[in-house]
Amino acid sequence: MTDRTPGATPTAVSGTTPVGTGTGRPVPEPFGARLRRAMDTRGPLCVGIDPHGSLLTAWGLDDDVAGLERFTRTTVEALADRVAVLKPQSAFFERFGSRGVAVLEKAVAEARAAGALVLMDAKRGDIGSTMDAYARTYLAPDSPLFSDAVTVSPYLGFGSLRPALDAAAAAGSGVFVLALTSNPEGAEVQRATAADGRSLAQVMLDHLAAENAGATPLGSAGAVVGATLGDPGADLAINGPLLAPGIGAQGATPADLPRVFGAAVGDVVPSVSRGVLRHGPDVSALREAALRFADEVRTAVAGG
């Protein structure tokens, strides 16, 4: 992070930067470039906004819309002007219906306005017009939930993600495709073998590498690869970001990253949720926890 003073406001990295196209129409700066800059200036860290009931209770809040709003507002206030990425988990807002989604909409707008990149953790996956509708929900600039990136599931076939990939490219946003997730159950699908002998996870990673071919400094099509995996048993060189859940409460530490990700460690976006959020509702404590994780990641990556 660029300024270690708790009250300081580091450089904003969100939004879009017009880039000339020769057609007279500006195009948004790609997500991969914005993410690279965010990680370089604010530190390589993604903090999840996961307002599940036990955390609300731990903060002394009721498990209702008022508690949800207070929790979310405090987290955004504490972190949006200093961490690279904030990752709201859509399900924890959707469980309250339209009022919860309204809280999410406001959080997305305020986090982006403060300079954080917003990664919507929605894990959407479908086909045809339904996938297109999901893409419009999170990746259309005129949507109330417009985000810098969204998580998607490819297990209806990678081609089913084309509406999201195309919408992301047009908006300067990104996608993170589930490849090797941190939950143990994921292995029965992700490590299954395709007809050509590759694991299904490797098939998805190879598709992503093709999507990112030629992109600099970093492609905008990322993969989700758990930091808890040990040996991922896959080629992670996709020229795109690798979202790494599992740091903190799930047992992985920043020191594990070089071992898991090898030469691709510089493109890793470690994701921490409870490890930071459990320090709330004190704003200074949330900031200090995020700073500590970001510094530990920097040290681990530099040593890797």
Side-chain angles (χ1 to χ4, degrees), residues 185-200:
E185 303 89 347
E188 67 180 272
V189 174
Q190 297 156 14
R191 295 189 184 275
T193 303
D196 61 5
R198 292 178 294 168
S199 69
L200 293 185

Side-chain angles (χ1 to χ4, degrees), residues 130-192:
T130 308
M131 191 67 225
D132 181 67
Y134 282 137
R136 290 175 183 271
T137 300
Y138 303 108
L139 300 171
D142 60 351
S143 169
L145 287 170
F146 176 61
S147 302
D148 296 284
V150 64
T151 56
V152 293
S153 174
Y155 293 105
L156 288 172
F158 190 86
S160 69
L161 301 180
R162 182 50 54 193
L165 294 164
D166 290 347
S173 295
V175 298
F176 283 87
V177 177
L178 303 181
L180 285 162
T181 55
S182 57
N183 63 305
E185 303 89 347
E188 67 180 272
V189 174
Q190 297 156 14
R191 295 189 184 275

Side-chain angles (χ1 to χ4, degrees), residues 23-57:
T23 65
R25 295 194 306 269
V27 297
E29 184 179 19
F31 171 74
R34 294 190 290 126
L35 177 63
R36 178 80 276 163
R37 184 168 66 252
M39 292 196 297
D40 290 345
T41 59
R42 291 186 167 203
L45 186 68
C46 167
V47 178
I49 305 179
D50 296 357
H52 50 72
S54 62
L55 263 178
L56 296 180
T57 300

